[in-house]
Amino acid sequence: MEITAVLMLPLLLLAISGILFIYQEVSRLWSKSAVQNKVVVITDAISGLGKECSRLFHAGGARLVLCGKNWEKLEILYDALLSVADPSKTFTPKLVLLDLSDISCVQDVAKEILDCYGCVDILINNASMKVKGPAQNISLELDKKIMDINYFGPITLTKALLPNMISRRTGQIVLVSNIQGKFGIPLRTAYAASKHAIQGFFDCLRAEVEEFEVVVSTVNPTFIRSYHTYTETGNWEASIWKFFFRKFTYGVHPVEIAEEVMRIIRRKKQEVFIANPIPKAAIYIRTFFPEFFFAVVACGVKEKLNVPEDR
């Protein structure tokens, strides 16, 4: 009896581990099947997240259209994808030169994208520009450039490809945004403004296209960190702001976000936040206790923290 009791716990843990492993494998295969043979357009495919999405979707059998503003880097990505995937189970990616800061060319690029396969099943709006600094130090020209890349560029491309989805009554548009589309933090005026704007656009669009069976999804990480691990420097003193911001600044790895994008497409989810509990709580604090939130944010400006940039 005692031996049986002793063995129960290890056997139970082993069984749970086995079930979790099977679930993860089934979920991974199911996610890949959701994009198999689908035409997937990825903007800024040469960024860290763009590369991971490209790798994941290519392995899943998607017909990729990779967009970026640097042709040489697109070709490097193209070669990398072909070298690691089974050519009998994948499609050769199409490359399209796209610079969202040049709004005048987006319509022509959209036509080029549609000419690749004749349709678009999934559009992943991943391109973004970041900037950090006091509002008075950011020129109006830079404000406009950020709005072009983070707002006008993506919505122009979306509007150009949307009629194809509506006419076919199928499609999904994924916006990779940022948690700052929900609230702003110091020294990010232009960036946060652009993220608020595009969040509002896609929230409205989601309701407008639902009757056409077009899904609109938004992914909101805190920020997308680089491949190297961020390590803190300096001494952190005890304060509400420093505790809040220390938790806020741990970003999400591109691999994790790419996998979440794949899950969102499979599940057709509308909105996902990828963050630790502190930034998620900040959204609700901003909504229900705005004065407290603004006081904490103001302390951050006074202490002049040096934090990593957002995507």
Side-chain angles (χ1 to χ4, degrees):
M1 188 68 178
E2 292 181 1
I3 296 176
T4 303
V6 170
L7 291 175
M8 280 297 292
L9 182 58
L11 289 173
L12 181 61
L13 291 174
L14 183 62
I16 293 173
S17 299
I19 291 170
L20 288 174
F21 175 77
I22 293 171
Y23 172 78
Q24 289 174 349
E25 287 300 303
V26 171
S27 179
R28 182 178 61 83
L29 293 172
W30 189 12
S31 295
K32 285 187 175 182
S33 67
V35 300
Q36 191 170 16
N37 298 320
K38 300 288 187 180
V39 178
V40 180
V41 178
I42 303 175
T43 66
D44 197 13
I46 56 179
S47 66
L49 175 57
K51 290 176 182 176
E52 291 301 332
C53 284
S54 301
R55 178 188 60 78
L56 199 59
F57 283 69
H58 183 63
R63 293 182 285 177
L64 288 180
V65 180
L66 305 178
C67 304
K69 62 181 180 180
N70 185 304
W71 187 258
E72 183 179 350
K73 290 183 179 180
L74 280 173
E75 289 183 325
I76 292 173
L77 175 59
Y78 175 90
D79 292 338
L81 292 176
L82 293 184
S83 66
V84 297
D86 184 348
S88 66
K89 299 179 180 179
T90 59
F91 294 90
T92 303
K94 307 283 188 180
L95 305 182
V96 174
L97 203 59
L98 172 63
D99 184 356
L100 288 178
S101 65
D102 184 4
I103 304 299
S104 62
C105 77
V106 175
Q107 291 284 352
D108 292 335
V109 173
K111 185 178 182 304
E112 184 180 349
I113 289 171
L114 287 171
D115 287 343
C116 289
Y117 291 105
C119 67
V120 171
D121 295 305
I122 300 165
L123 168 62
I124 301 176
N125 282 302
N126 171 57
S128 184
M129 178 183 178
K130 55 181 176 278
V131 67
K132 175 185 175 182
Q136 67 271 21
N137 293 347
I138 304 297
S139 67
L140 187 58
E141 289 73 21
L142 184 53
D143 281 327
K144 291 178 178 178
K145 183 176 181 180
I146 290 167
M147 287 300 294
D148 280 345
I149 295 173
N150 293 2
Y151 176 71
F152 286 110
I155 72 165
T156 302
L157 181 62
T158 298
K159 286 185 173 186
L161 299 178
L162 188 59
N164 179 269
M165 293 184 178
I166 291 176
S167 66
R168 297 167 56 237
R169 299 189 69 85
T170 183
Q172 187 165 0
I173 301 167
V174 180
L175 168 68
V176 180
S177 185
N178 187 279
I179 204 166
Q180 288 187 59
K182 295 295 185 179
F183 64 84
I185 60 174
L187 309 180
R188 302 294 197 283
T189 51
Y191 180 79
S194 68
K195 292 300 179 183
H196 272 68
I198 199 163
Q199 183 79 46
F201 177 90
F202 278 96
D203 283 352
C204 295
L205 182 66
R206 180 182 295 113
E208 293 179 14
V209 300
E210 183 178 6
E211 64 176 302
F212 303 109
E213 300 180 39
V214 175
V215 179
V216 175
S217 305
T218 54
V219 183
N220 302 282
T222 46
F223 71 93
I224 302 174
R225 70 188 183 202
S226 58
Y227 285 100
H228 64 274
T229 302
Y230 170 72
T231 56
E232 297 178 23
T233 57
N235 296 320
W236 288 87
E237 300 172 3
S239 74
I240 294 176
W241 170 257
K242 287 187 176 182
F243 174 78
F244 170 83
F245 221 116
R246 188 178 188 182
K247 294 296 183 184
F248 183 87
T249 55
Y250 285 109
V252 188
H253 196 281
V255 172
E256 184 179 346
I257 301 177
E259 291 173 348
E260 188 61 45
V261 170
M262 181 73 87
R263 284 191 291 270
I264 283 174
I265 289 171
R266 173 171 63 83
R267 298 173 183 172
K268 299 188 183 301
K269 295 187 71 173
Q270 296 178 335
E271 186 172 62
V272 170
F273 291 95
I274 309 176
N276 63 53
I278 297 297
K280 287 182 179 179
I283 297 173
Y284 298 99
I285 294 172
R286 167 66 178 84
T287 303
F288 298 108
F289 306 99
E291 291 184 2
F292 174 75
F293 178 85
F294 296 145
V296 173
V297 168
C299 289
V301 176
K302 293 174 184 177
E303 294 185 9
K304 297 180 180 178
L305 290 179
N306 181 24
V307 297
E309 293 184 338
D310 311 278
R311 76 174 296 282

